[in-house]
Amino acid sequence: MSTETFKQRFVLDTSLFVTEEIRRADESLEEAVLRLLDLIAHARLNLDISCYVPPTIHDELTTMLEARGVDEEVYAKLNTWVVRKHPDRYGLEIPANVVYSFVDEMSDRVDRGLRVSEEAVRRAERASDEPLEDHEHKTEVDAVISDLRDKYRGAMRTGVLDSREDFDLLILARELDAGVVTEDRGIIDWTEDFGLRYIRGREFPDLLEQYLATVDPEEKRTID
């Protein structure tokens, strides 16, 4: 079968690499990422499938991987087989409706954030500054603040574009006419507004395996 049938581009999100959903039983994060990168490499060699990340995503990903102490082999394969490309932020046009929807969404979220904050202030007024029975160093006020952070984060950030990394991902995918690979619910929601294809990160390794299964074993190129 011709590789033209499969020739595609994908832009990868950090969540693809760190989600537990791509791991097999008893597989570590490092092992799962190496297996994924091997699949990406073989798809590139045999099917001309290209995978990209914007530099902001690359930096975010490598920071997370460093925190998890992965081997240098991971970075070597990542830098070899996943292309870093800056999105064309100046040349790419974005429909006005996308901007309108974003402004409308943020306006609604600001209102929700205010309501969450007001509720927390009222609770704090009634709360005691004495330590909690089950937590020597935490007071009722501390508990209110902790709850406020969780609820405020949910009101303001969950399901919305809340970082330049997310925006770069979508812009680059639109520029390249590429599919977005992510586990982030907010990014998935915005792919519709940007007119983009997407695939859940947990499904991506299986997709590549299915594509590679069509390659004639005698003609298959490997990285070994």
Side-chain angles (χ1 to χ4, degrees):
M1 186 177 292
S2 171
T3 59
E4 291 297 321
T5 305
F6 298 98
K7 186 175 181 180
Q8 295 187 55
R9 291 172 172 175
F10 294 97
V11 179
L12 313 180
D13 182 33
T14 301
S15 61
L16 162 66
F17 295 89
V18 298
T19 179
E20 294 186 0
E21 299 295 338
I22 67 167
R23 300 190 204 179
R24 293 172 176 169
D26 300 322
E27 191 175 45
S28 68
L29 170 70
E30 181 176 312
E31 290 168 339
V33 171
L34 284 172
R35 178 170 55 82
L36 171 62
L37 290 170
D38 282 345
L39 286 171
I40 290 172
H42 286 113
R44 177 73 176 272
L45 289 172
N46 292 282
L47 299 170
D48 204 18
I49 292 175
S50 300
C51 293
Y52 296 78
V53 291
T56 49
I57 292 284
H58 183 274
D59 292 345
E60 179 183 60
L61 174 59
T62 53
T63 298
M64 289 187 177
L65 293 176
E66 286 170 3
R68 289 162 172 78
V70 302
D71 190 78
E72 287 297 322
E73 182 184 6
V74 173
Y75 304 110
K77 290 189 175 183
L78 176 67
N79 293 332
T80 299
W81 299 109
V82 179
V83 181
R84 268 177 285 180
K85 184 185 183 308
H86 286 283
D88 184 2
R89 300 189 187 116
Y90 293 97
L92 192 68
E93 294 183 356
I94 300 175
N97 187 60
V98 172
V99 180
Y100 181 89
S101 297
F102 180 76
V103 172
D104 191 51
E105 173 78 10
M106 291 310 300
S107 176
D108 178 64
R109 286 177 179 271
V110 167
D111 289 341
R112 278 188 271 168
L114 285 172
R115 287 194 293 272
V116 168
S117 301
E118 289 166 359
E119 178 189 351
V121 169
R122 294 190 181 96
R123 288 175 57 198
E125 287 179 337
R126 299 190 299 268
S128 167
D129 204 28
E130 296 297 320
L132 296 172
E133 292 184 5
D134 58 345
H135 203 299
E136 182 180 351
H137 303 291
K138 188 175 184 179
T139 67
E140 286 186 28
V141 174
D142 292 329
V144 170
I145 293 172
S146 178
D147 185 57
L148 168 62
R149 286 174 176 164
D150 291 339
K151 289 183 177 179
Y152 190 82
R153 186 181 299 111
M156 295 298 295
R157 300 190 63 179
T158 302
V160 71
L161 292 182
D162 62 354
S163 70
R164 62 178 183 173
E165 290 85 2
D166 293 353
F167 189 70
D168 279 350
L169 181 80
L170 292 167
I171 292 296
L172 183 58
R174 185 173 172 87
E175 176 188 342
L176 299 174
D177 190 24
V180 172
V181 186
T182 184
E183 281 288 315
D184 188 312
R185 184 68 249 176
I187 293 175
I188 290 173
D189 289 343
W190 278 91
T191 56
E192 179 179 354
D193 292 306
F194 277 77
L196 298 170
R197 296 174 289 117
Y198 80 88
I199 181 171
R200 297 291 295 269
R202 68 190 68 182
E203 300 167 350
F204 192 57
D206 288 339
L207 176 74
L208 295 181
E209 287 176 354
Q210 291 296 318
Y211 282 176
L212 288 166
T214 67
V215 178
D216 187 335
E218 295 184 1
E219 298 179 1
K220 189 172 183 179
R221 301 170 65 189
T222 68
I223 57 175
D224 299 329

